[in-house]
Amino acid sequence: MRTLPIPDTLLGGLSIEAFLEEYWQKKPLLIRGALSAYTSPINKEDLMQIACEDDAVARIILEKDGDYPWQLLYGPFEEDFHDMPVSHWTLLVQEVNRYVPEIAQLLDAFRFIPSWRVDDVMVSYAPEHGGVGAHVDNYDVFLLQAMGHRRWQIMNDPIKEEILVPDLDVSMLQNFRPEEDWVLAPGDMLYLPPRVAHKGVALNECMTYSVGFRAPSHSDILSNYLGYVAEQIDPLLRYSDPDLQMPAHPSEIDAQALARIRKVIQSALHEDRLIDEWFGQFVTEPKRDVYAFPLDEPVQADAIRQYLEGGGQLKRFSGATFAFITEESGDAQLFVSGMSLLFPAPIAASAPMLCEAPELSQKSMAVFLESETFLELVVDLVNEGFLEMAA
């Protein structure tokens, strides 16, 4: 699969630098004809079929004709969708890029944002009048119109406080006052920073691709990191005070005791090595419980070498996030689905190649396959299911 180049039209004629400086996480941008030549590789029947897969993360929002207004149903679904209302409903399917390689390839056009920031490509289908109501997202999103026409209304400035319509299955804003109003045709795209209120309504049968980016909360970051640190600390280490002096008040927690505790906490929080290692694992952890499965019968290095020499290619597991960190020592750490592997300096340059190369073949990996260390690491990735031997 070839990397999809970034077309000049993707950002409306803006350079990547200008977009990042003026718009990214700052203000919305409407882009007419962003991907005017793009044709959706799936239709509504394909999307409905994906929504019925056992591991699908899918929802249906019925504005009307459900058991009550704005009813929310969770997939995976078993029905054939023939009994759905004529209008006023929406099907949303997360991580369609996992199921459709051509949609995964679409993410290549957004590589000016670090790939570890990518969440997924969610695809929504709606007949006429279908929508999910006015709402905010806590992350950046590019909304690409892939089929039909959708009317978008937005507020320009991010909102801090959400006042929601009570007693609904969906989080719908009560205080939505649109300031912009556009109709997007196929190939048009709308970029929205976090917490910009928006409302989309289908004017006819339409599909919209939502390219979303991960934005963990500070609470999630700190709680996850503290849990990681706690796992790394020697359980035999205990609070100690060999410099203890007789207290003026036995019940007082004195300045010396507080200083000892601060030192324990600060030494853990400020350990750069731990932070780096934790963060690489944290941002590549599987989303929505999508895990690779180890091979039932592990392969050996010779088998992989012969496979590649015979023209075979390896491919990255579609549900895995790959990322790497280059260390000051010249080594690199490769992170895959929350796991880390050390790539020593002589083969450190292979880490970005494994993360980004359009194809992993004998030709693209030739210079590294001379290293037994590299081949052993590839064997580990194959046996863990993170790299697959393409059929």
Side-chain angles (χ1 to χ4, degrees), residues 159 161-165 172-176:
I159 64 172
E161 182 180 2
E162 297 174 58
I163 301 175
L164 300 179
V165 178
M172 188 184 304
L173 293 174
Q174 193 175 60
N175 56 337
F176 181 66

Side-chain angles (χ1 to χ4, degrees), residues 8 13 16 62 127 209-210 228-229 232 247 258 340 358 369:
D8 293 337
I16 291 172
L62 293 160
Y209 293 1
S210 300
Y228 179 80
V229 169
Q232 311 305 312
L258 291 172
S340 62
L369 286 172

Side-chain angles (χ1 to χ4, degrees), residues 26-195:
K26 301 174 187 70
K27 58 183 180 181
L29 177 64
L30 172 66
I31 310 162
R32 295 292 186 190
L35 288 172
S36 57
Y38 187 75
T39 302
S40 175
I42 61 173
N43 55 31
K44 69 175 183 180
E45 287 78 15
D46 298 323
L47 187 66
M48 290 172 178
Q49 184 175 352
I50 293 171
C52 295
E53 295 285 341
D54 290 341
D55 61 348
V57 179
R59 295 164 289 159
I60 291 175
I61 296 175
L62 293 160
E63 181 181 351
K64 296 182 178 182
D65 299 317
D67 295 335
Y68 48 84
W70 294 103
Q71 184 180 7
L72 175 59
L73 305 174
Y74 290 97
F77 300 103
E78 297 180 358
E79 59 185 87
D80 57 14
F81 294 89
H82 288 156
D83 296 329
M84 296 300 293
V86 175
S87 65
H88 292 88
W89 63 275
T90 298
L91 169 67
L92 306 105
V93 184
Q94 303 284 163
E95 291 191 296
V96 177
N97 48 295
R98 261 199 316 121
Y99 300 93
V100 184
E102 293 84 357
I103 291 181
Q105 187 183 14
L106 177 65
L107 291 171
D108 290 335
F110 296 89
R111 282 190 177 271
F112 54 91
I113 308 299
S115 57
W116 57 263
R117 285 275 269 119
V118 173
D119 186 4
D120 72 335
V121 181
M122 181 185 76
V123 177
S124 65
Y125 163 79
E128 186 178 13
H129 303 307
V132 301
H135 64 285
V136 297
D137 296 317
N138 291 315
Y139 49 83
D140 301 86
V141 63
F142 290 90
L143 299 164
L144 173 66
Q145 194 62 26
M147 182 188 83
H149 296 78
R150 186 182 290 273
R151 180 188 183 191
W152 286 104
Q153 296 174 302
I154 73 165
M155 296 172 66
N156 285 319
D157 297 322
I159 64 172
K160 296 181 179 180
E161 182 180 2
E162 297 174 58
I163 301 175
L164 300 179
V165 178
D167 303 321
L168 292 184
D169 287 355
V170 297
S171 297
M172 188 184 304
L173 293 174
Q174 193 175 60
N175 56 337
F176 181 66
R177 297 179 179 83
E179 298 167 289
E180 304 285 356
D181 193 322
W182 303 298
V183 173
L184 269 64
D188 293 343
M189 187 166 68
L190 177 61
Y191 163 71
L192 297 176
R195 302 202 61 80

Side-chain angles (χ1 to χ4, degrees), residues 324-345:
F324 72 93
I325 289 176
T326 302
E327 301 177 347
E328 291 184 2
S329 64
D331 297 343
Q333 283 198 78
L334 177 73
F335 301 96
V336 188
S337 293
M339 184 184 76
S340 62
L341 292 170
L342 178 65
F343 280 60

